[in-house]
Amino acid sequence: MSRVLVGVKRVIDYAVKIRVKPDQSGVVTDGVKHSMNPFCEIAVEEAVKLKEKKFIKEVVAVSCGPSQVTETIRTALAMGCDRGIHVEVSGKDYEAMGPLQISKIFAALAKKEEASLVILGKQAIDDDCNQTGQMTAALLDWPQGTFASEVTIDGETVKVVREIDGGLETIKISMPAVLTADLRLNTPRYATLPNIMKAKKKKIANMKPADLGVDMVSRVEVLRVDEPPTRLAGVKVETVDDLVAKLKANGTI
Amino acid sequence: MCLWKILVVLQCPSMGCCCKLTLMSKLQVSTFDIQIVQHTNIPVGVEMERFADEADVVIVGGGPAGLSAAIRLKQLAKEQEKELRVCLVEKASQIGAHTLSGACLEPSALNELFPDWKERGAPLNTPVTEDLFSILTEKYRIPVPMLPGLPMNNHGNYIVRLGHFVHWLGEQAEELGVEIYPGYAAAEVLFHEDGSVKGIATNDVGIAKDGSPKDVFERGMELHAKVTLFGEGCHGHLAKQLYRQFNLRENCEPQTYAIGLKELWVIDEKKWRPGRVEHSVGWPLNRNTYGGSFLYHLNEGEPLVALGFVVGLDYTNPYLSPFREFQRWKHHPFVAKTLEGGDRIAYGARALNEGGYQCLPKVTFPGGMLIGCSPGFMNVPKIKGTHTAMKSGMLAAEAIFPKVTAEDPASETAGLHIPEYEDNLKKSWIWKELYAVRNIRPSFHNYFGLYGGMVYTGVFYWILRGKEPWTLKHAGLDSAQLKPAKECTPIEYPKPDGKLSFDLLSSVALSGTNHEGDQPPHLTLKDDSIPVANNLAIYDGPEQRFCPAGVYEYVPLETGEGMRLQINAQNCVHCKTCDIKDPSQNINWVVPEGSGGPAYNGL
């Protein structure tokens, strides 16, 4: 039967206030609270639900990064994934890592693991790229069902209801396929303590991008990271004439 | 609002081994009384069985005390080649995320636990090089010489970011094989039939705001142990239950507390003096309100300072706002000159113990013991509690180890009762230290307030080292100290300027605190009518001012007439001040879903 690959990304927790590093090369991550990207949680939940409904046999959780990402993989295992794969990327490679490198890794893994589905979150909350799913599908030449808010498997095809600007779009794509999870797809279950304890016994395989034939060289160089400019206080005016006068005074009109 | 809570009655003798769901409606009942038996129908399809697991020792709380106890147990196990399963649960999402302290660490306990701490990379990077003490007036500063022998003298100590130190302790513990589970809150104490402690249960998850189970509802897990250590820190919520259950406080005074607020600032490099420790008393507090400030220059690469303000929770004016006192203190010329041009990067708050020797409860009971700031070993004039907390954890481990690994523990109760821990505490340097400083804090309760206290310290501590034959008493429960609002004058606090001082909500945002929104509020009221009838009517709603996270607000009713108390539980930073200072003692802090709360990074 089929196997699903799920991608999980370790990101800075959404409630934490971000701070730019003094050298402006990035944001401070040392000691900052991290958690699984919320859309990845939804992806994991969907994969586990599909397994519970017996559409698929095995769910493999994959994450790319330094040793800390194994915590994120363990959470995915505690939610119901069967095994994990940790693709080790650290140092400069990790800082420069982006959707292109990740999608190459996932494409290689999807072929290696003979996956019928790759389920990812629609985007990560740290970079908001919304590219990895689409790039992975393109590299594999597989159909893609992105922004999925409902997924139904029917034999060898998948019916995906997608959230689009105008409303909802329903498409039918053949497997193997790439899906990306949107907010309303499901409500992820908690990784409860007994499951975390059981997850310790589940296997996490280690590998490097080179083992998959992927080069991590980035085509993007980050020049500088700045804080957004401080919002200035607004000014209230009494009449329309005042408003026009002020707009003229500061050169807007 | 009362907590809609789902409880399980563990043992129904008449029904064998089944677990029955008990959906509690608005009963006037303490959330601790697990003997409540009101059976109603279980919602269909909800799994109510709790998974249970066994360890030799279970530790609640991953702070200095809990981790030191875990480490010491595993060190002994290694030395004596015995197997020991030690499990530690911590409500924060990662070890150190709920840790907040000044802090000037006295390395005495650390030297005993890990003599090679330097090689192991313990983050003690800033030895104290300068020690300043001042009495502040509104515009000026009176320096006080920091003579050796005075409790505040910091020679030989290190300025640390306690959250990072605790995180490092966690790593050492994991290396030794301690099972650490951050993100799981111990919500319930479990008891054997003979009344001894059996272990703990983690909180149920997936309960909606109204108390009903959501789709993702799952029961918490039970962790059973031969002995359970409770290291929840100051004013722990399970400890409250244990005090009542085992009458642990019958021979000591009620604990008294302070609230400590803290910020981290990156300052102008020209103003940075790594290793400098500054403390002050006086302005902006009046002489009858206990409190003061700290400002420590860290030496970890960046020009970082840790600063904060402590206010004793026995203050009497309900209009006092510890947060706003802290903010306005920063405008004092002596403080402002360090902070000008700097950036605030972190904020947090936590209650701390001030009771010391007079308030130490009995710390052992069948099946468990209390360690760390929970019973309260803080040396108040030194403003240090980490070294004593660690030592108490180590002493607990040393008392437990022979009993827990013995072939036949020869215990009267199913949960082991190990009074040797208390005996060892009394013989240790913790006891000597706390005894010597026992009269300093209570000495502030005199007409001259702060100045009387300083004279007492100078005479009796510095000269006599606490050998005077009498023991002064504290003033009683902190919650009973507030005077009615009509007898007090409102305090005019300056508006925050956004550069040195800030408003409450932007400060709370910096703490990184958050909770799953759709869960019952964890700040529970025993009686819904009391806040408006008592707190607002008599004391003008002091919880609006003493909460450092803006949880409590009195807002007008939608109908227009009268007010109601709004509880913004999501803002809570788990400081416990409301549970301590509420004049009606109506607010009961219970633990929210694990992982919720602040996300401190090295505070």
Side-chain angles (χ1 to χ4, degrees), chain B residues 396-451:
Chain B
E398 284 158 10
I400 291 172
F401 188 76
K403 294 290 168 82
V404 139
T405 50
E407 285 297 319
D408 172 23
S411 174
E412 287 174 356
T413 49
L416 299 178
H417 186 194
I418 309 178
E420 285 82 347
Y421 163 53
E422 189 149 354
D423 299 333
N424 292 348
L425 270 178
K426 294 194 171 137
K427 294 190 215 128
S428 72
W429 49 257
I430 300 180
W431 218 256
K432 287 194 197 53
E433 214 180 290
L434 291 181
Y435 186 76
V437 299
R438 73 195 180 289
N439 285 324
I440 296 185
R441 176 66 173 92
S443 71
F444 280 71
H445 295 294
N446 63 76
Y447 178 73
F448 296 103
L450 165 70
Y451 304 109

Side-chain angles (χ1 to χ4, degrees), chain B residues 138 259 261 283-286 289 309 311 315-331 489-497 501-503 540 542 544-546:
Chain B
E138 193 172 342
I259 178 176
L261 302 108
W283 190 85
L285 298 176
N286 65 32
T289 305
F309 206 77
V311 178
Y315 68 81
T316 54
N317 186 346
Y319 291 109
L320 192 140
S321 161
F323 173 78
R324 301 192 81 171
E325 297 291 350
F326 174 33
Q327 297 302 317
R328 80 166 159 174
W329 162 77
K330 286 187 277 174
H331 283 284
T489 12
I491 305 179
E492 276 287 315
Y493 288 106
K495 267 187 92 164
D497 72 348
S501 53
F502 301 90
D503 64 294
D540 198 40
Q544 301 172 98
R545 292 178 210 99
F546 60 56

Side-chain angles (χ1 to χ4, degrees), chain A residues 193-194 197, chain B residues 50-60 85-90 179-181 184-186 188-192 197-202 220-228 230:
Chain A
L193 187 53
M197 287 178 167
Chain B
R50 263 201 299 219
F51 189 82
D53 202 0
E54 288 250 5
D56 291 299
V57 180
V58 163
I59 301 177
V60 175
R85 186 178 182 205
V86 180
C87 289
L88 188 150
V89 286
E90 160 59 47
E179 290 176 51
I180 300 190
Y181 298 110
Y184 297 100
E188 197 186 321
V189 183
L190 304 170
F191 297 91
H192 289 286
V197 170
K198 186 176 173 183
I200 53 101
T202 58
M221 174 178 165
E222 294 186 15
L223 276 171
H224 301 165
K226 297 180 188 148
V227 71
T228 308
F230 293 87

Side-chain angles (χ1 to χ4, degrees), chain B residues 234-254:
Chain B
C234 174
H235 205 74
H237 79 107
L238 293 180
K240 281 191 294 191
Q241 177 186 5
L242 293 166
Y243 291 145
R244 273 208 290 273
Q245 186 84 10
F246 295 106
N247 232 343
L248 301 171
R249 301 203 72 98
E250 60 186 343
N251 292 323
C252 64
E253 289 185 41

Side-chain angles (χ1 to χ4, degrees), chain A residues 26-82:
Chain A
V27 297
V28 177
T29 52
D30 268 338
V32 174
K33 177 179 174 184
H34 283 68
S35 33
M36 192 191 291
N37 182 37
F39 295 107
C40 298
E41 286 182 342
I42 298 174
V44 171
E45 176 64 25
E46 196 59 25
V48 173
K49 273 196 161 72
L50 288 175
K51 185 178 122 172
E52 285 169 349
K53 292 185 204 155
K54 306 246 194 297
F55 285 112
I56 52 173
K57 202 157 183 205
E58 199 190 23
V59 182
V60 183
V62 182
S63 193
C64 310
S67 57
Q68 291 97 317
V69 307
T70 51
E71 289 162 22
T72 315
I73 301 177
R74 287 259 174 250
T75 309
L77 294 173
M79 287 170 73
C81 298
D82 298 290

Side-chain angles (χ1 to χ4, degrees), chain A residues 10 13-17 19 22 28 30-34 187-198 200, chain B residues 51 53 85 93-94 181 184 202 205-206 216 218 221 223 266 302 345 509-510 512 514 516 593 595 599 601:
Chain A
R10 179 175 181 263
D13 186 85
Y14 72 91
V16 169
K17 259 236 141 121
R19 186 162 80 98
V28 177
D30 268 338
V32 174
K33 177 179 174 184
H34 283 68
T187 309
R189 67 194 64 190
Y190 287 83
T192 54
L193 187 53
N195 290 325
I196 286 274
M197 287 178 167
K198 287 184 205 152
K200 289 206 166 166
Chain B
F51 189 82
D53 202 0
R85 186 178 182 205
S93 56
Q94 59 188 49
Y181 298 110
Y184 297 100
T202 58
V205 291
V216 289
E218 262 192 72
M221 174 178 165
L223 276 171
V266 176
E302 265 189 303
I345 62 167
L510 270 185
N514 197 24
E516 160 62 49
E593 275 181 16
S595 278
N601 179 7

